[in-house]
Amino acid sequence: MPSAKLDPIDRMILAELQADGRMTNVELAKRVGISAPPCLRRVRTLEEAGFIRGYHADVDARALGFEVQVFASVGLVSQAEADLSAFEERCRNWPLVRECHMLNGEVDFILKCVAPDLSTFQTFLTEQLTAAENVASVKTSLVIRDAKDEPGVPFDVLEARMAAEA
Amino acid sequence: MPSAKLDPIDRMILAELQADGRMTNVELAKRVGISAPPCLRRVRTLEEAGFIRGYHADVDARALGFEVQVFASVGLVSQAEADLSAFEERCRNWPLVRECHMLNGEVDFILKCVAPDLSTFQTFLTEQLTAAENVASVKTSLVIRDAKDEPGVPFDVLEARMAAEA
DNA sequence: CGCATTTGCGAAATATTATTGCGCAGCGCG
DNA sequence: CGCGCTGCGCAATAATATTTCGCAAATGCG
């Protein structure tokens, strides 16, 4: 169930919904070239199979007063699984931390953080993050500007790959 | 227009749509405590004012065969604005690069990349990224796992802040 | 204060969309 | 060559979105 295979229409559906998650099913069906009912069935199937995790409005954080975006590289004292998990759990509970990725190499984690202003972030940094148990080192970098910010799947690459296999 | 002020209902709308971008307007109206027509008007206004940039399905990249996620720290030879812009433009044209953030500090950019497999990424790294004009250094880190991946606005922080101001 | 103006709400009507039920066609297999 | 499976599309029904309109509270000013 989790992974039936996807045909070109399924991939088109995913690409369209990634680009515009609020597209009506009628419009979507038109674009992928089938009628509305089977289109909706496919979407439901993709959702249930986990290909689509959810839908989200892309809200402008800056417009809402979150002026500061920071990447933090974190090294831990202990990399035992229990300690890694403990740190991850802490990250999940820090609202200012929006992403927490475990890495290979010298740094153990990279965090993407947001804050209303620098001083709020500094407070978080010194009182929470750096002060957290098992944290050995934290190096932060302020984001000056975003040249590209499009999380998601590059469907053009995917299609090229599928075409190549055929 | 770009920035009328937001009342608590607007912020609730943003929070709800960030959490579920496909919520029906009827359901949304119910949750924020107003009737459907004014609710829809507010949503449209928020969209036009730029608080909502768009809506996107959250597609599972791994399920689609993008097994590899990598952060790349890039240093340039020249940080003249023209050169920075040129690099950013190149990033926008690389499908495997999903995010490109300019940073302060020693590293000039951090890139979030995806790829179907390691060798695809290696090829991109050596033939495209490292080889690109003006690129001085590239350091990559493979993502082992994601503990948290919720880009977006921490509305709980926002509401606390608004409450404090009152 | 008190009246004009503005702003935003909600009921009702209408247009679109989502969703369900069902029959038909293509495909693999015995 | 016929049975069963899969997936499509048509048609009907249920929900939603969207527009229209009138009302009431907040605001500004004489």
Side-chain angles (χ1 to χ4, degrees):
Chain A
M1 178 103 30
S3 64
K5 231 178 47 201
L6 301 182
D7 66 15
I9 291 181
D10 289 318
R11 294 196 296 275
M12 273 194 274
I13 288 175
L14 291 173
E16 292 289 346
L17 287 179
Q18 178 173 280
D20 177 5
R22 274 213 108 157
M23 185 179 298
T24 69
N25 182 60
V26 171
E27 173 66 19
L28 179 61
K30 193 179 311 174
R31 293 200 187 190
V32 304
I34 60 180
S35 64
C39 184
L40 185 60
R41 281 192 293 261
R42 279 168 179 264
V43 171
R44 294 284 179 260
T45 301
L46 291 169
E47 289 168 353
E48 281 161 27
F51 289 101
I52 299 177
R53 294 206 203 85
Y55 303 87
H56 304 283
D58 176 12
V59 176
D60 186 336
R62 193 146 306 195
L64 274 152
F66 289 81
E67 307 279 348
V68 172
Q69 192 177 352
V70 183
F71 281 92
S73 303
V74 177
L76 299 186
V77 174
S78 157
Q79 281 86 24
E81 175 56 32
D83 297 314
L84 295 172
S85 299
F87 178 73
E88 292 178 327
E89 183 57 23
R90 229 168 266 128
C91 285
R92 278 190 282 271
N93 290 324
W94 280 322
L96 297 188
V97 176
R98 306 315 299 165
E99 301 181 25
C100 170
H101 310 277
M102 190 188 298
L103 303 180
N104 76 344
E106 38 200 308
V107 164
D108 295 312
F109 290 94
I110 188 163
L111 312 186
K112 187 192 279 186
C113 308
V114 299
D117 51 62
L118 222 10
S119 81
T120 301
F121 178 75
Q122 300 286 23
T123 302
F124 164 73
L125 175 64
T126 57
E127 297 182 8
Q128 305 286 318
L129 183 52
T130 303
E133 189 182 330
N134 194 36
V135 169
S137 69
V138 179
K139 205 181 64 180
T140 61
S141 291
L142 247 160
V143 173
I144 295 173
R145 68 190 192 205
D146 295 333
K148 184 174 188 175
D149 194 357
E150 301 174 8
V153 178
F155 279 98
D156 44 358
V157 171
L158 180 60
E159 288 305 320
R161 168 162 280 250
M162 300 308 285
E165 286 177 11
Chain B
M1 261 115 314
S3 65
K5 232 180 42 204
L6 301 182
D7 66 17
I9 292 182
D10 290 318
R11 294 196 296 273
M12 273 193 273
I13 288 174
L14 291 173
E16 292 290 345
L17 288 180
Q18 177 173 282
D20 177 6
R22 274 211 106 152
M23 186 178 298
T24 68
N25 182 59
V26 171
E27 172 67 18
L28 179 60
K30 193 179 314 176
R31 293 199 188 192
V32 304
I34 60 179
S35 65
C39 184
L40 186 61
R41 280 192 294 262
R42 280 166 179 264
V43 172
R44 295 284 179 260
T45 302
L46 291 169
E47 290 169 354
E48 282 161 27
F51 289 101
I52 298 177
R53 295 206 201 84
Y55 302 86
H56 305 284
D58 176 13
V59 176
D60 186 336
R62 193 147 304 192
L64 276 161
F66 289 81
E67 307 279 349
V68 172
Q69 193 178 350
V70 184
F71 281 92
S73 302
V74 177
L76 299 185
V77 175
S78 157
Q79 282 85 23
E81 175 56 32
D83 297 313
L84 295 171
S85 299
F87 179 73
E88 292 179 325
E89 183 57 22
R90 231 170 264 130
C91 286
R92 278 190 283 271
N93 290 326
W94 280 323
L96 297 188
V97 176
R98 305 315 299 165
E99 301 181 25
C100 171
H101 310 277
M102 190 189 298
L103 303 180
N104 76 342
E106 36 200 308
V107 163
D108 294 313
F109 290 94
I110 189 163
L111 275 39
K112 186 192 282 187
C113 307
V114 299
D117 51 61
L118 222 11
S119 81
T120 300
F121 179 75
Q122 299 286 23
T123 302
F124 164 73
L125 176 64
T126 57
E127 296 182 10
Q128 306 286 319
L129 183 53
T130 303
E133 188 182 330
N134 194 37
V135 169
S137 68
V138 179
K139 204 182 62 177
T140 61
S141 291
L142 247 159
V143 173
I144 295 173
R145 69 189 191 207
D146 294 333
K148 184 174 187 176
D149 195 358
E150 302 173 10
V153 178
F155 279 98
D156 43 357
V157 172
L158 180 61
E159 287 306 320
R161 168 161 282 250
M162 299 308 284
E165 286 178 8

